[in-house]
Amino acid sequence: LDRWGVDEIFIQLIDRSIKSLGPDVELIEKIANRGLSTPLVYAGGISSEVEAVSVIRAGADRICLDALLHSNHDEVRNIAYRLGGQAVIASLPLVTADDGAKQWYDYQTKKITAVDESLLSLFKDGAVSEAVLIDCENEGQPNAFDFGLLSMFADQNIPLILFGGLSEPEQLEKALLMP
């Protein structure tokens, strides 16, 4: 990935939070010590400011949070204060409800809830710089991304990384050309 000139390398260990293992600092150090010039983003098991700092010290340039966004916005703000909001990315697995409402999926509890104003305030306040918008209903499905999920961000001016159901050049072009 480094040789190909990608913008960032995103390392996501989805089981770290569910198993209460904390971040895999050794893995980050191994990758960071390879002399890569591509910035590293790490996600997985970060539940506190101390752990977020340990991830950056191990060699990641930025972090991505998911479980902590569901449980403790104050700690997210503490992390942003310490590292800077540009270093914090939100992971937002979303689904579309039967009534068309966009809802937020929690991988740990397996519950679906409404996206509330307190979550969006993390972006408005600069505590989070961008979002990985995950179409969790269409992950692994070719040509299936739900572009309707983008509607909740239309007026938010939040940089998005899209994931799940994107596989065809036409889809990528559509995503890149959307306002």
Side-chain angles (χ1 to χ4, degrees):
L1 294 174
D2 189 54
R3 287 192 317 260
W4 293 342
V6 298
D7 290 338
E8 293 178 316
I9 297 173
F10 194 99
I11 304 161
Q12 183 174 18
L13 303 177
I14 59 175
D15 62 341
R16 301 299 289 189
S17 292
I18 292 171
K19 295 179 180 178
S20 299
L21 296 174
D24 190 339
V25 174
E26 286 181 31
L27 175 66
I28 300 163
E29 289 172 341
K30 272 185 185 177
I31 295 169
N33 288 334
R34 295 185 61 93
L36 306 176
S37 61
T38 305
L40 297 176
V41 177
Y42 176 85
I46 301 169
S47 63
S48 69
E49 177 185 348
V50 170
E51 289 177 341
V53 170
S54 74
V55 167
I56 299 299
R57 285 189 177 143
D61 296 277
R62 302 171 74 198
I63 61 168
C64 184
L65 303 174
D66 183 346
L68 196 57
L69 293 171
H70 289 278
S71 63
N72 192 339
H73 290 179
D74 289 337
E75 192 65 10
V76 173
R77 290 180 196 288
N78 291 342
I79 291 169
Y81 179 77
R82 181 82 180 268
L83 301 178
Q86 80 287 347
V88 183
I89 301 169
S91 177
L92 301 177
L94 300 176
V95 299
T96 300
D98 292 338
D99 66 358
K102 308 310 176 218
Q103 296 182 311
W104 188 20
Y105 181 72
D106 185 335
Y107 285 110
Q108 283 191 309
T109 66
K110 310 289 188 240
K111 293 182 181 176
I112 297 172
T113 58
V115 175
D116 61 9
E117 189 56 41
S118 65
L119 173 65
L120 295 176
S121 73
L122 292 171
F123 293 97
K124 291 176 185 170
D125 299 343
V128 177
S129 63
E130 63 189 273
V132 177
L133 189 156
I134 302 167
D135 180 351
C136 59
E137 290 181 308
N138 291 311
E139 282 184 71
Q141 303 300 315
N143 201 22
F145 184 78
D146 178 3
F147 283 95
L149 295 173
L150 298 174
S151 65
M152 70 180 292
F153 296 96
D155 299 328
Q156 302 296 325
N157 197 28
I158 298 169
L160 299 174
I161 301 167
L162 305 181
F163 183 82
L166 290 165
S167 62
E168 304 302 318
E170 297 81 22
Q171 288 178 294
L172 300 176
E173 182 178 8
K174 180 178 178 178
L176 291 171
L177 295 175
M178 291 187 82

